[in-house]
């Protein structure tokens, strides 16, 4: 059934691909202009929609830059937020917007990145200029910025999941690709995410190097701790061996499930919803009912950010039940020096 649907949608994918190629060509010859701002801009993006681990890498890079003494701002589109225009999600000291006005990923970043300004704007040039005027950052990191070419970037980081290269490379709407592999020629660095080991990286690298000469970095997703939603931190050892119900509305539920299995919990059931899904009370009640057969409920940080936007509903449905968000962090397996040299090079260029 799925294969038949893909085949039926292929003519539309061909049309979509033609539009993508035309748009990129217009940028390359200067008909569509890219505006440069006064500080270095790092874009973290992807060829596919959802599920490759862009947001944890934005967090990782922001922390690296912050550790180097840089004043960092993160700029996101704020996908599926209910507001429009420029919204400050965090001023670096406190949250300034609710999740429905910011989107779940900016809310997640604002919660975790103390000292980093986080903003949302669907027009990245406008958002970057407002950030410079309001906060004077040293560097701006774009979350999901690869296709937003009106804002010039000094470092284009493209994330490709290791398991993605084994799937058919159909463009939207037949598949999940926003651009073909050939677009990787624009990348300065390619990060292969969701590598379980170096073997996964080598398989993906052999495919990707046909399309780009950019240096490649291997990253795995590692759980580091769990946080009770709205409450205290729990060490992973406290979860090991316990029966858990999973709840996720993300682009890569299989990846979340693999991460949870690595922690060592016993999976009872996984409630899977579409990326950025807004949970209804009835859906949450179903999770709570199933969780009575388990010892805890595990969700993602992004899903927890959305649920806490409706705190009263969350408390009513899950009263007395243990709901934990699993905190993950990228762990570089291969290519740490590539990231270090590229970040340092940004500021050498800006002084020259």
């Amino acid at each position: 059934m799925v294969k038949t649907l893909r085949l039926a949608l292929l003519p539309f994918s061909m049309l979509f691909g033609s539009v993508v190629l035309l748009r990129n060509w217009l940028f390359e010859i200067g008909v569509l202009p890219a505006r440069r701002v006064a500080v270095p801009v790092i874009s973290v993006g992807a060829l596919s929609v959802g599920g490759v681990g862009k947001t944890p890498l934005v967090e990782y890079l922001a922390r690296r830059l912050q550790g180097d003494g840089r004043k960092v701002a993160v700029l996101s589109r704020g996908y599926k937020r209910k507001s429009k225009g420029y919204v400050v999600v965090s001023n670096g000291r406190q949250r300034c917007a609710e999740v429905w006005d910011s989107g779940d990923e900016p809310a997640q970043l604002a919660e975790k990145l103390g000292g980093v300004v986080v903003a949302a704007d669907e027009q990245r040039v406008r958002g970057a200029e407002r950030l410079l005027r309001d906060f004077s950052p040293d560097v701006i990191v774009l979350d999901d910025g690869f296709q937003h070419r009106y804002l010039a970037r000094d470092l284009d980081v493209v994330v490709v999941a290791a398991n993605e290269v084994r799937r058919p490379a159909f463009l939207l709407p037949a598949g999940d690709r926003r651009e073909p592999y050939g677009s990787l020629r624009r990348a300065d660095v390619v990060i292969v995410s969701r590598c379980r080991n170096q073997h996964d990286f080598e398989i993906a690298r052999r495919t990707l190097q046909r399309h780009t000469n950019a240096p490649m970095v291997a990253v795995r997703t590692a759980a580091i701790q769990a946080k009770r939603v709205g409450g205290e931190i729990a060490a992973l050892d406290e979860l090991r061996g316990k029966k858990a119900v999973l709840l996720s509305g993300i682009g890569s539920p299989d990846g979340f499930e693999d991460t949870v299995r690595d922690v060592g919990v016993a999976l009872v059931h996984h409630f899977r919803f579409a990326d950025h899904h807004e949970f209804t009370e009835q859906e949450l009640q179903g999770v709570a009912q199933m969780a009575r057969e388990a010892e805890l409920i595990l969700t993602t940080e992004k899903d927890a950010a959305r649920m806490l936007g409706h705190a009263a509903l969350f408390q009513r449905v899950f009263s007395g039940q243990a709901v934990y968000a699993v905190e993950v962090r990228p762990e570089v397996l291969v290519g740490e020096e590539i990231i270090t040299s590229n970040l340092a090079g940004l500021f050498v260029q800006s002084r020259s």
Side-chain angles (χ1 to χ4, degrees):
M1 177 64 182
V2 173
K3 185 176 180 180
T4 302
L5 181 59
R6 285 187 187 276
L7 291 173
L9 292 173
L10 276 178
F12 299 99
S13 293
M14 294 172 66
L15 177 61
F16 177 82
S18 299
V19 173
V20 168
L21 291 173
L22 175 61
R23 179 178 183 269
N24 284 331
W25 179 68
L26 291 174
F27 272 109
E28 286 158 15
I29 65 173
V31 172
L32 294 178
R35 188 179 303 180
R36 190 165 295 280
V37 295
V39 300
V41 172
I42 304 170
S43 167
V44 180
L47 298 179
S48 301
V49 293
V52 299
K54 295 183 301 294
T55 301
L57 284 162
V58 168
E59 179 190 342
Y60 169 81
L61 292 173
R63 290 187 190 277
R64 286 282 304 263
L65 291 160
Q66 195 177 31
D68 290 339
R70 307 296 178 184
K71 186 177 179 182
V72 184
V74 172
L75 179 60
S76 173
R77 172 187 171 189
Y79 184 63
K80 283 201 171 181
R81 62 190 172 116
K82 296 180 180 177
S83 63
K84 295 289 185 182
Y86 174 74
V87 173
V88 176
V89 186
S90 169
N91 60 12
R93 299 181 301 277
Q94 63 185 24
R95 287 276 299 276
C96 304
E98 299 292 348
V99 65
W100 50 82
D101 286 329
S102 67
D104 50 15
E105 287 159 347
Q108 174 189 334
L109 290 166
E111 183 69 27
K112 298 186 70 179
L113 290 172
V116 172
V117 175
V118 179
D121 197 329
E122 66 275 11
Q123 295 184 25
R124 302 303 180 94
V125 173
R126 179 179 64 191
E129 290 175 341
R130 287 290 301 271
L131 281 170
L132 287 171
R133 189 174 74 199
D134 296 346
F135 299 101
S136 302
D138 299 324
V139 57
I140 295 172
V141 183
L142 298 184
D143 184 12
D144 197 13
F146 191 53
Q147 286 75 36
H148 294 268
R149 297 187 64 180
Y150 286 103
L151 178 60
R153 63 287 316 273
D154 301 89
L155 182 63
D156 235 331
V157 178
V158 182
V159 187
V160 180
N163 60 341
E164 183 180 349
V165 300
R166 297 191 291 270
R167 299 199 300 265
F170 294 126
L171 293 176
L172 295 167
D176 59 3
R177 296 283 168 84
R178 293 184 278 194
E179 296 194 54
Y181 277 137
S183 294
L184 287 175
R185 69 183 186 278
R186 304 201 314 267
D188 297 305
V189 175
V190 174
I191 293 184
V192 182
S193 65
R194 306 199 184 282
C195 294
R196 293 168 299 179
N197 47 48
Q198 192 164 339
H199 178 67
D200 282 352
F201 172 60
E202 289 301 325
I203 291 173
R205 185 183 62 81
R206 285 197 291 270
T207 297
L208 298 176
Q209 68 183 3
R210 302 172 198 159
H211 307 280
T212 180
N213 293 320
M216 297 189 198
V217 176
V219 168
R220 69 182 289 266
T221 301
I224 58 170
Q225 62 185 15
K227 182 177 182 181
R228 191 157 185 166
V229 178
E232 71 279 2
I233 300 293
L236 296 180
D237 284 344
E238 297 176 41
L239 309 183
R240 206 175 309 278
K242 292 187 175 180
K243 293 189 293 184
V245 168
L246 273 56
L247 169 63
S248 68
I250 56 175
S252 180
D254 287 340
F256 176 51
E257 197 168 298
D258 289 343
T259 300
V260 167
R261 289 187 193 279
D262 288 344
V263 171
V265 302
L267 178 60
V268 174
H269 186 73
H270 188 175
F271 288 88
R272 300 177 176 216
F273 296 91
D275 199 10
H276 305 279
H277 180 73
E278 197 70 42
F279 303 116
T280 68
E281 182 168 359
Q282 183 178 5
E283 289 165 346
L284 294 179
Q285 289 286 4
V287 176
Q289 179 69 29
M290 175 68 77
R292 290 172 186 164
E293 303 174 19
E295 297 169 85
L296 67 159
I297 300 165
L298 296 180
T299 190
T300 71
E301 296 173 279
K302 187 165 80 169
D303 293 307
R306 285 201 306 283
M307 284 191 281
L308 284 177
H310 305 279
L313 171 61
F314 175 84
Q315 294 294 340
R316 183 170 68 251
V317 172
F318 294 112
S319 177
Q321 290 182 297
V323 183
Y324 287 89
V326 179
E327 183 176 344
V328 299
R329 190 165 293 173
E331 181 180 292
V332 178
L333 300 177
V334 178
E336 182 82 42
E337 71 286 354
I338 294 171
I339 295 174
T340 300
S341 63
N342 274 276
L343 293 183
L346 288 173
F347 300 96
V348 172
Q349 292 170 16
S350 68
R351 289 194 298 268
S352 60

